[in-house]
Each structure stands twice: as C-alpha cells, then as structure tokens.
Amino acid sequence: MIPKMPKLPSIRRGFKAPRGTRDILPEDQQYWHHVRKHATDVSRRYNYQRIDTPVFEDAALFVRSVGEDTDIVEKEMYTFEDKGGSLLTLRPEGTGSICRAYLEHGMGNLTKPVRLYYFCPVFRYERPQAGRYRQHHQFGVEAIGSADAAMDAEVISLAWDLLSDTGIPPDKLTLHINSIGCLQCRPAYITALKKYFKEEYEYEGPGCRDCQRRLELNPLRLMDCKEEACQKIADLAPKSTEYLCPECEDHHTKLQHYLEALGLSFSDDYRLVRGLDYYTRTVFEIRPWKTTAQSAIVGGGRYDYLIEQLGGPPTPAVGFGAGLERIILNLQWLQIDVPKPEPRLVVLAYLGERPKEGALWLADQLRKEGIPAEVAVGRDSLRSQLRYANTVGAKYAIIIGDEEIETNTVTLRDMAESQQERIPVLEVAQVLCARLGIESSDQAEQPESTA
Ligand code: HAM
C-alpha cells in the first residue's frame, strides 16, 4: 500500500509528467538512437567496455563521493527510505556508482587502466529550464587506474569525437580546461581564495547568499557562481594554476601538450572548478560556442582520491559525463539532420476471413525474414485498409482476397507508384528483401551481439 496517499486530483484535469521530466515520443526517437549509436561506436573504437549500475544506490555513497557541501547533496538528491528502512538515493550522477561497482566486483585485479562506458538516467531536483531537467540522461566514460596525463587527453578526445560524430561542427564547440590541484597544493589555494573573497566582500559588499555560505564550506565554488556581481569578483580572484605543486603543474603542462598533439584546441579557463567535490588536477568541459557557461554538454575530470575515499586502494582515474538531452538540443538548434529510418513497412490488406488468416500467416513469415510488416486489422473495406497503409507510410501493400488464396499468389502494390502485380506467395519475401535492400535470413551472416 502507498503510504499517506494524497487526495487524488480530479480526473478531468488529467495527469502530467512530473515537473522537469519529459516523455521521449516516437518522433524524437531518431535523435536518441543517433546519439546512442555514435556514443556506443566511439566507445568501442577507444576500446571501452559497457557497464550498467542500478538506478538507486545507498544514499551514503553519493554523500561520500559527490561531497556533503555540494549543491547536488545539499539540495538536489531524491532520497527516500524503502520499506526495509534503507536510505536510498536515485542516482544524481554516474561516477560514484561506477567506482562502487569497480570495488565491489574486484575490478582492481584487472589489467589497468580499466576503461568503462555507460548510459544512465540521472535525477537532480534542479530548477527546470531549457537543457536542465530533473531527470536527464548521461553517456559517460571512466578510465580507472592510470595517473598519466595522456589518459586525460584520451578521455577528452573521446568526448570531442562523440560530439563531432553526431554532426556538431567542431567550430560550434569550445573545450575548456583547468587544473584544480591535488590534496597537497589545493589547501594553499583555498586559503588564498578565502582571503581574497573576504577582502572583496568587505569592500564591495557580500556576494549572493550561496556564495556567502560557500565561503566557509566550499570556497572553490565561489569561482563558478552564475550571479553577475559574483562573477565580476571571481574574474580577478587568484587562479588555481598559480598554486599548483610541481607534480600537478607537470601533469597540466603534459595534458596541454597531448591535446595539442591531438589537434584539439582548448582554452585555459581558471574559473572552471566543477560542482562535484571529487575532482583533482584536470577538470574540463565542452560547451556550445556562444552560449551561457551553464550549458556544458560534456563535463568531467580526474578524481584520483575517490576510490580510496570509498574504501579501495589508491587508484587514479578520469572520466566525463555528457548530457544526451543537451547533445540533442544542440543538434536541433544547429538544424543538423539525423538519419531517418528508411521507409520499409509492408501493410497486408485482406478481403474476408480466410484471406485475413492468410495475411496473419504471411506477415509472420515476412517478419521472420526481417521485413517490417503489419496487418491492417480492424478495417473491413479494402479502401480503408489501403488508406491506412498510405497514412502509416507503407512502402508496399500486399492484398489478399479469395482469388489470391485459390492461386497461391498475392497482389503486391507499390504505394508511391500505385502499381500492382501478382506474384506467387512463396516468392514474396525474396522479392521484398531485394526491393527493400534487406538481407534475407538465407543470406544473412550471424548477427553481432548488440548487448
Ligand atoms: P556533470 O557536469 O554534473 O558531471 O554532468 C555531466 C553532464 O550532464 C553535463 O555536462 C550536462 O550535459 C548533463 N547534465 C547535468 N545536469 C543536467 C540537468 N539537470 N539536465 C540536463 N543535463 C544535465 C557529472 O555528472 C560527472 N559524473 C561527470 C564525470 C564523470 N566526471 C568524471 N567522470
């Protein structure tokens, strides 16, 4: 039983998808298919393995990984107690879950780096707007077990290739990178930041309410506040790159060289700090050219202490998450066409009960050969069945009447040409496969697993 069920709304008002969530309708699916296909292809090209984790996890996992003083943990998590009394959270990001799975399944024993990719729905209680939802979907990769800056470059290059493979022109994207140091050098930077902001607040007046709170709890985030007045102060703040220890500085310089070697242009963005606490050294974002800083399509970075914080051995790692909705929005804004499925549908029309049985049987045979086929059920007249075939965009109609049954033939109608021909029923599948460019099951080789 659902506890404390609220009063049911009047059915006349109907139900709506919860605020900040969206239905992905059949007409949108071509975009989703397009992006997922390219994400899978690029992951395979870089030799990443697919991993899937549960939609919800122990709430403490995200508090530990994302960080107690982050917006996500403070304000945005969907956390609930289940009937067994466990405190669970709908996944507010992918990395914590992947690291938990990495440790739980002993992946540390595998040859490193362990390269993983995933698709997952992500839940954050945010203020909804274009490109920002309470349920969104991410494609992400995590490369676990290497501290080499070349690994950061590989992950960035994979993200870049994904976006260009989907059709977004590279000149419509910008890559921002920064280094926020490690546990050794960051404390000095944080001290300098606090000092600077305190002095500025005395002189300029206090920052926004979030910044005032962050000054003590999470000063790094003062750098990426979206309020205009706070941004002006952050613009002149000390830069993290000025406080890097020699190892972090070397890592950052190497990354810049590797990106140059890969032909990837980037801008050094000292205001880029990212909103999750686990990052060390490299942080990066890919943003659409000419839009607000909020609209990163890809965000990621290195997280060299996270696995240790979750109870594992010291294990450096780097990865990114890309919002599928944001990739699709950018494709649509830029009016980039995605391939539409070829019209291949065959609709079977019938005249009478026996031909209807024949149509059901034949549709089944065609589907077994890989031909999309539908019987025009629920319509009696041939006219309305053919009208239906036209409306659903059928390429061919097959008409079966008593005469066709007697002669073991069918009438094949090309819908666009309005031309008909009679062909033996045993040849229909072969003829259609040839005309629709489908490999029949006789010719087809064993399909590759798509799991
Ligand atoms: P994130 O920057 O929070 O990073 O999210 C990654 C991407 O998810 C963003 O760049 C954006 O495209 C998309 N995204 C985030 N929030 C929303 C939202 N409310 N609505 C629509 N899209 C959104 C992470 O989640 C890290 N786990 C990335 C990572 C992986 N870092 C290392 N490994």
Side-chain angles (χ1 to χ4, degrees):
M1 215 185 69
I2 304 173
K4 283 201 223 120
M5 190 68 179
K7 204 169 146 245
L8 286 174
S10 151
I11 201 71
R12 258 184 293 130
R13 275 174 40 213
F15 290 100
K16 294 235 157 62
R19 191 162 134 74
T21 69
R22 297 180 339 147
D23 299 310
I24 305 169
L25 299 174
E27 60 263 33
D28 304 324
Q29 294 292 339
Q30 57 192 331
Y31 283 96
W32 287 81
H33 174 74
H34 175 73
V35 175
R36 286 200 184 107
K37 179 192 172 303
H38 282 296
T40 307
D41 286 353
V42 76
S43 304
R44 288 187 182 156
R45 283 207 310 271
Y46 278 77
N47 197 28
Y48 283 62
Q49 310 285 319
R50 168 113 187 208
I51 182 167
D52 293 283
T53 58
V55 166
F56 53 84
E57 299 264 2
D58 199 328
L61 172 70
F62 299 115
V63 179
R64 272 210 152 217
S65 53
V66 176
E68 250 174 303
D69 302 321
T70 57
D71 285 350
I72 293 181
V73 170
E74 274 190 343
K75 311 185 217 164
E76 296 171 2
M77 294 210 307
Y78 284 87
T79 298
F80 60 97
E81 196 180 298
D82 75 1
K83 291 184 185 356
S86 303
L87 203 58
L88 302 169
T89 295
L90 298 184
R91 179 203 294 115
E93 65 103 36
T95 313
S97 306
I98 302 298
C99 292
R100 192 265 311 137
Y102 175 90
L103 288 172
E104 186 172 339
H105 301 287
M107 286 191 235
N109 296 324
L110 301 174
T111 307
K112 294 190 197 67
V114 176
R115 294 177 164 93
L116 302 168
Y117 78 94
Y118 52 92
F119 293 96
C120 62
V122 172
F123 305 86
R124 295 180 188 174
Y125 187 79
E126 292 196 87
R127 191 140 31 97
Q129 53 179 254
R132 199 204 278 156
Y133 309 105
R134 289 184 178 168
Q135 177 184 346
H136 72 272
H137 298 80
Q138 282 189 20
F139 159 70
V141 310
E142 313 294 348
I144 306 178
S146 169
D148 194 325
M151 203 70 243
D152 311 25
E154 174 182 298
V155 158
I156 293 173
S157 163
L158 192 161
W160 191 267
D161 283 359
L162 162 68
L163 298 182
S164 36
D165 288 359
T166 61
I168 302 179
D171 63 352
K172 296 281 184 271
L173 298 167
T174 53
L175 166 62
H176 297 246
I177 64 165
N178 192 18
S179 174
I180 54 170
C182 65
L183 292 189
Q184 273 68 49
C185 54
R186 201 182 303 159
Y189 176 56
I190 297 295
T191 308
L193 261 191
K194 274 181 157 177
K195 183 168 175 289
Y196 167 81
F197 276 98
K198 273 184 184 154
E199 281 168 12
E200 285 299 306
Y201 288 165
E202 264 170 37
Y203 186 66
E204 297 275 346
C208 71
R209 220 187 293 153
D210 270 343
C211 282
Q212 285 174 47
R213 220 166 24 89
R214 285 171 180 154
L215 185 60
E216 291 311 324
L217 293 176
N218 198 350
L220 209 54
R221 292 301 310 281
L222 294 166
M223 292 301 280
D224 72 349
C225 179
K226 306 292 177 284
E227 295 289 329
E228 206 181 319
C230 302
Q231 285 189 359
K232 273 193 192 146
I233 303 178
D235 274 341
L236 300 174
K239 300 174 183 172
S240 53
T241 43
E242 291 162 357
Y243 289 80
L244 298 180
C245 59
E247 291 77 17
C248 287
E249 195 172 343
D250 180 55
H251 187 95
H252 195 53
T253 310
K254 280 188 172 144
L255 171 63
Q256 291 170 325
H257 288 161
Y258 297 148
L259 291 176
E260 278 159 16
L262 285 164
L264 289 172
S265 333
F266 55 86
S267 52
D268 281 304
D269 183 347
Y270 61 91
R271 296 259 321 269
L272 177 62
V273 290
R274 311 267 305 132
L276 301 104
D277 273 2
Y278 49 62
Y279 290 114
T280 45
R281 295 190 169 167
T282 308
V283 285
F284 68 92
E285 285 187 354
I286 302 179
R287 300 181 192 152
W289 178 74
K290 249 190 168 176
T291 45
T292 59
Q294 223 172 45
S295 55
I297 308 176
V298 171
R302 184 160 273 289
Y303 50 95
D304 289 345
Y305 305 111
L306 178 56
I307 293 193
E308 216 175 330
Q309 275 165 17
L310 298 180
T315 313
V318 58
F320 73 79
L324 300 190
E325 284 84 354
R326 290 195 190 171
I327 299 179
I328 291 169
L329 271 177
N330 278 277
L331 289 170
Q332 292 170 339
W333 282 332
L334 293 165
Q335 299 184 336
I336 291 161
D337 283 335
V338 301
K340 291 200 179 71
E342 283 273 302
R344 285 173 157 178
L345 180 66
V346 176
V347 168
L348 289 94
Y350 51 88
L351 284 156
E353 200 52 29
R354 244 183 98 211
K356 187 174 183 179
E357 284 168 23
L360 287 171
W361 174 83
L362 182 56
D364 191 45
Q365 300 302 308
L366 296 181
R367 290 180 199 123
K368 286 186 174 122
E369 296 296 330
I371 301 166
E374 241 192 66
V375 179
V377 290
R379 286 173 174 76
D380 286 337
S381 78
L382 181 61
R383 216 177 126 90
S384 76
Q385 291 180 56
L386 289 180
R387 204 179 310 127
Y388 171 78
N390 210 19
T391 320
V392 295
K395 185 109 172 96
Y396 289 98
I398 288 175
I399 302 163
I400 307 176
D402 286 334
E403 202 183 313
E404 279 85 354
I405 296 282
E406 292 308 321
T407 54
N408 273 330
T409 58
V410 299
T411 299
L412 184 64
R413 182 181 174 87
D414 183 318
M415 296 301 291
E417 305 291 330
S418 299
Q419 277 177 7
Q420 297 192 171
E421 65 194 298
R422 210 36 114 72
I423 49 174
V425 72
L426 290 178
E427 287 173 22
V428 186
Q430 209 186 343
V431 168
L432 283 172
C433 279
R435 293 195 191 165
L436 295 170
I438 294 171
E439 248 184 66
S440 81
S441 56
D442 296 348
Q443 302 158 294
E445 287 175 23
Q446 206 59 19
E448 197 200 328
S449 163
T450 51

